[in-house]
Amino acid sequence: MKPEEQPLRIPRLSIKSSFLVLASLLLGGIIIPYLLTLLGIGFKTGVMIILPVSLAFSLVYSHYYLETKQGFCKRFIVALVVATVALELMSYVWLVEGFIF
């Protein structure tokens, strides 16, 4: 007998997840950095710190809670840390090193 192969199911980004990502981008990319400028922190610094964290959290949350219903687990933490570190490095290169702004 031939073992049956299970198809690889990659969850797609639903409408609910898309709105969550959009909300986190607006909150982490515009609103919170603007509020930090009122406290004396530069806008680029606020964006570099807050935006990658909010984007990573919204992507990982939507994957583990909204799309696959796996919930909080070790892989959630690992994915959150890896996504945050990768996005923080990209935001540093783009914003501080001057590749975009």
Side-chain angles (χ1 to χ4, degrees):
M1 285 187 137
K2 196 189 251 187
E4 292 186 30
E5 294 182 18
Q6 293 181 355
L8 180 63
R9 185 187 176 288
I10 299 173
R12 299 186 190 271
L13 202 62
S14 68
I15 296 294
K16 192 187 307 185
S17 297
S18 298
F19 281 121
L20 177 67
V21 170
L22 177 66
S24 73
L25 288 175
L26 290 175
L27 189 67
I30 297 172
I31 296 170
I32 294 177
Y34 175 72
L35 293 175
L36 290 176
T37 60
L38 299 176
L39 296 174
I41 298 173
F43 188 78
K44 282 185 179 181
T45 305
V47 169
M48 187 185 78
I49 293 170
I50 301 297
L51 183 60
V53 174
S54 67
L55 180 60
F57 181 77
S58 68
L59 289 174
V60 172
Y61 179 84
S62 68
H63 176 73
Y64 282 96
Y65 280 92
L66 300 178
E67 303 299 331
T68 61
K69 308 284 192 245
Q70 291 179 8
F72 187 78
C73 58
K74 182 180 178 182
R75 290 184 307 195
F76 177 86
I77 297 294
V78 170
L80 182 63
V81 168
V82 168
T84 302
V85 168
L87 290 170
E88 285 288 349
L89 288 172
M90 286 190 292
S91 71
Y92 173 77
V93 168
W94 288 341
L95 294 172
V96 175
E97 298 297 325
F99 285 123
I100 289 181
F101 298 109

